[in-house]
Amino acid sequence: MLNEREIESCYLGQFIPVHYHHNMLMDHNRMHSFKSAIYHAVKPGAKVLELGGGTGVLSFFAAQQADKVYCVEFNPDMVQEARRFLAMNENGHKVEVIHADAFEYLPPEPVDIVICEMIHVGMLREKQVEVIESFKRRYLARFGGPLPIFLPEAVIMAVQPLQLEYDFEGFQAPIIQFQQTNVVYPGTIELAQPGVYSILDFNQPVDSLIAWEGRFLVEKGGRMNALRFITKNVLTIIEERGTTIDWLNHYMMLPLARPFDVQAGDIVQVSFAYRAGGSIPSLEASIRTEVVARYEEQENEQVREQVGESVFA
Ligand SMILES: C[S@@+](CC[C@H](N)C(=O)[O-])C[C@H]1O[C@@H](n2cnc3c(N)ncnc32)[C@H](O)[C@@H]1O
């Protein structure tokens, strides 16, 4: 019998089934970004903790330089799989796979880096924020400071108004969709530039409530029937080069309950609120959208001033 927390874990996607881990291993964008970031961040001799190890792949990357990697995984099937895979891979013996809940586990000694990839678009569903906040409190209580470096170090989230195609061979179905970030989808029209709605820095205390209200200047007329959610993970910062190694999650598009027509120059207001780790329906239920100003040539300058910083590079 599963206990209540395990049932919630299954429902919210914490227990990612074994077959889905193949998709994650095949996601070149994700894998390559993490590999580069881990190779950069983990210095020779380092002690590393991974929370949510899955197949053990990120712990394997870390083990190439680290002296010791503690790899914590909650799903018993994945614990077995990670041990099996690591035994086949170079330096796998440096990784200790521990069957434990990341909300409770602390390593037996201080660590230099904590790797955690419990990341869904918008920081929804998976428990990255709560796991890291809980870890920080417990780690400080046991070992004192300083805290280890977190990988990812920060997350930048943005939202963008869209017109999306919801016609499937004549069948209308406004349904949640995911898109790869490097593919052009013909039925997708970007009506305005994305606007950043939240930046989470794991080196600071992170509030799990994400609430936002912002305005967009419509650049292209159309039917606004969806919002695209964009999540960029700053995996590591390369200070000497003044740059970062990032991983952009797949885009998530949520249909609007009440689509409406917009024209170039309109100002659209969007608001929503949800908790990190919360469900997608909880975000959907909170979304409000409205046109707050219609475009008129003479007011254009004023209209531009009303729109905040909305560029998401
Ligand atoms: C998105 S997967 C990432 C797996 C692996 N790190 C990778 O990059 O391929 C997240 C993993 O975290 C595990 N997980 C979720 N909640 C956990 C918890 N509370 N404690 C330990 N592991 C957890 C899941 O079972 C899953 O294997």
Side-chain angles (χ1 to χ4, degrees):
M1 273 284 280
L2 294 177
N3 65 33
E4 208 166 306
R5 208 169 118 48
E6 285 168 326
I7 292 167
E8 198 220 20
S9 294
C10 295
Y11 183 65
L12 285 175
Q14 294 289 281
F15 262 28
I16 294 168
V18 176
H19 61 258
Y20 190 78
H21 283 269
H22 176 241
N23 294 347
M24 290 193 283
L25 292 173
M26 292 289 288
D27 184 339
H28 175 75
N29 177 30
R30 189 187 85 97
M31 292 287 281
H32 188 71
S33 303
F34 270 99
K35 184 176 176 180
S36 312
I38 290 169
Y39 278 15
H40 174 268
V42 176
K43 306 297 179 209
K47 311 260 187 221
V48 178
L49 169 64
E50 184 183 6
L51 299 172
T55 55
V57 60
L58 305 186
S59 288
F60 159 73
F61 292 150
Q64 303 319 302
Q65 298 272 25
D67 265 5
K68 174 81 188 179
V69 184
Y70 301 97
C71 172
V72 176
E73 174 55 51
F74 190 34
N75 180 341
D77 296 339
M78 290 317 299
V79 170
Q80 273 190 17
E81 291 297 75
R83 287 183 181 145
R84 186 165 72 89
F85 299 148
L86 285 159
M88 296 174 180
N89 282 280
E90 199 171 348
N91 290 317
H93 65 279
K94 293 191 201 165
V95 183
E96 185 180 335
V97 181
I98 300 133
H99 182 204
D101 186 341
F103 277 103
E104 288 165 9
Y105 180 81
L106 273 180
E109 58 182 333
V111 292
D112 303 295
I113 298 204
V114 174
I115 301 170
C116 186
E117 197 281 79
M118 300 187 194
I119 300 173
H120 186 278
V121 184
M123 308 309 278
L124 290 153
R125 306 188 77 227
E126 297 196 54
K127 304 292 188 218
Q128 181 95 355
V129 171
E130 287 155 286
V131 162
I132 290 181
E133 289 311 294
S134 144
F135 172 82
K136 287 196 260 191
R137 278 192 300 276
R138 291 179 293 108
Y139 187 92
L140 286 174
R142 174 157 324 163
F143 300 115
L147 282 168
I149 291 169
F150 292 93
L151 193 159
E153 296 212 25
V155 178
I156 304 170
M157 294 183 279
V159 62
Q160 182 177 33
L162 296 184
Q163 173 180 312
L164 262 196
E165 183 71 61
Y166 286 121
D167 181 312
F168 302 91
E169 298 287 335
F171 180 61
Q172 296 301 315
I175 190 169
I176 180 172
Q177 297 182 17
F178 290 88
Q179 288 181 341
Q180 291 180 38
T181 53
N182 54 355
V183 175
V184 175
Y185 292 83
T188 302
I189 299 171
E190 299 178 355
L191 302 173
Q193 294 293 319
V196 173
Y197 68 84
S198 178
I199 299 178
L200 309 181
D201 175 356
F202 291 116
N203 299 305
Q204 307 289 331
V206 176
D207 188 349
S208 70
L209 178 66
I210 299 171
W212 186 74
E213 180 176 283
R215 292 179 172 195
F216 295 91
L217 173 63
V218 175
E219 294 182 344
K220 201 168 189 173
R223 185 140 184 91
M224 182 169 152
N225 62 0
L227 288 177
R228 168 188 273 162
F229 287 85
I230 303 167
T231 302
K232 182 156 116 175
N233 304 282
V234 179
L235 299 183
T236 195
I237 297 167
I238 307 180
E239 277 177 18
E240 57 276 21
R241 278 194 262 143
T243 179
T244 56
I245 299 176
D246 303 328
W247 166 47
L248 199 53
N249 282 75
H250 289 174
Y251 297 140
M252 178 178 76
M253 275 77 51
L254 298 180
L256 295 182
R258 277 179 292 281
F260 53 95
D261 292 328
V262 291
Q263 52 183 326
D266 287 351
I267 301 286
V268 174
Q269 181 162 301
V270 174
S271 65
F272 50 80
Y274 63 96
R275 289 219 168 259
S279 68
I280 295 170
S282 73
L283 162 59
E284 280 180 305
S286 76
I287 294 174
R288 305 279 177 273
T289 50
E290 62 171 320
V291 177
V292 290
R294 289 283 178 193
Y295 173 73
E296 282 179 49
E297 192 88 53
Q298 64 276 17
E299 288 175 359
N300 199 20
E301 280 313 306
Q302 199 187 336
V303 154
R304 278 181 187 282
E305 280 165 20
Q306 291 181 35
V307 181
E309 189 56 49
S310 77
V311 179
F312 186 72

